[in-house]
Amino acid sequence: DELQAIASMMEKQARIVVKPKEVSQEEKQRKAALLAQYANVTDEEEYPFPDPVETRPALFRNTNVEDVVNARKLERELLRDEFQKKKEQDKLQREKDKLAKQERKEKEKKRTQKGERKR
């Protein structure tokens, strides 16, 4: 049964033939005219208009790029300032820790010296 089903499907597929699209002579001529028109375009004809950025009035200037650049610059400056503050705080904290450690050592010395004196 399975072999017959596969065989019948293969036969159906073999019978299916794609018919070539019939293109009229008029459509062929239109296509050729369009291709010829685009083939003859030169660089001067392709860009005959002046640069729109130069002719645009100042009221309609696109500031999106400038806004994004300025926002990124501001963000970087803020991050730099935060990093600098954190660096200074870490430095102060290290100094405090060093002083505290030194004080503990001195207290320990005094305590041991008192203990030795009592003996």
Side-chain angles (χ1 to χ4, degrees):
D1 289 336
E2 291 178 10
L3 291 176
Q4 276 186 333
I6 293 174
S8 65
M9 287 174 58
M10 291 176 77
E11 287 175 11
K12 285 180 185 176
Q13 286 180 351
R15 281 187 239 146
I16 297 174
V17 177
V18 178
K19 296 178 183 177
K21 183 178 177 184
E22 295 178 14
V23 181
S24 68
Q25 188 66 23
E26 187 177 307
E27 288 176 354
K28 286 181 183 177
Q29 287 175 350
R30 254 193 256 139
K31 186 175 179 180
L34 275 174
L35 288 173
Q37 178 185 352
Y38 285 110
N40 291 331
V41 173
T42 63
D43 288 340
E44 296 164 4
E45 293 172 344
E46 192 172 350
Y47 302 105
F49 306 108
D51 189 16
V53 174
E54 295 172 6
T55 59
R56 193 173 9 183
L59 295 175
F60 299 107
R61 207 176 83 201
N62 186 357
T63 60
N64 291 340
V65 174
E66 293 173 11
D67 292 343
V68 169
V69 168
N70 289 335
R72 286 185 181 167
K73 192 181 290 185
L74 182 63
E75 186 178 350
R76 280 194 305 267
E77 288 174 5
L78 290 173
L79 289 173
R80 189 178 305 125
D81 291 343
E82 287 177 18
F83 177 74
Q84 198 66 27
K85 286 179 185 176
K86 185 174 181 345
K87 194 174 174 182
E88 289 173 10
Q89 288 175 349
D90 289 347
K91 187 175 181 181
L92 289 174
Q93 188 63 40
R94 281 193 302 271
E95 289 177 11
K96 286 180 184 177
D97 291 346
K98 195 183 240 183
L99 288 174
K101 188 177 180 182
Q102 212 171 21
E103 286 177 13
R104 281 194 302 268
K105 282 185 179 179
E106 288 175 10
K107 283 183 181 179
E108 183 67 26
K109 271 187 186 177
K110 287 180 183 178
R111 197 171 46 218
T112 56
Q113 284 176 357
K114 271 188 180 179
E116 287 178 8
R117 279 190 225 145
K118 287 182 181 179
R119 287 187 192 177

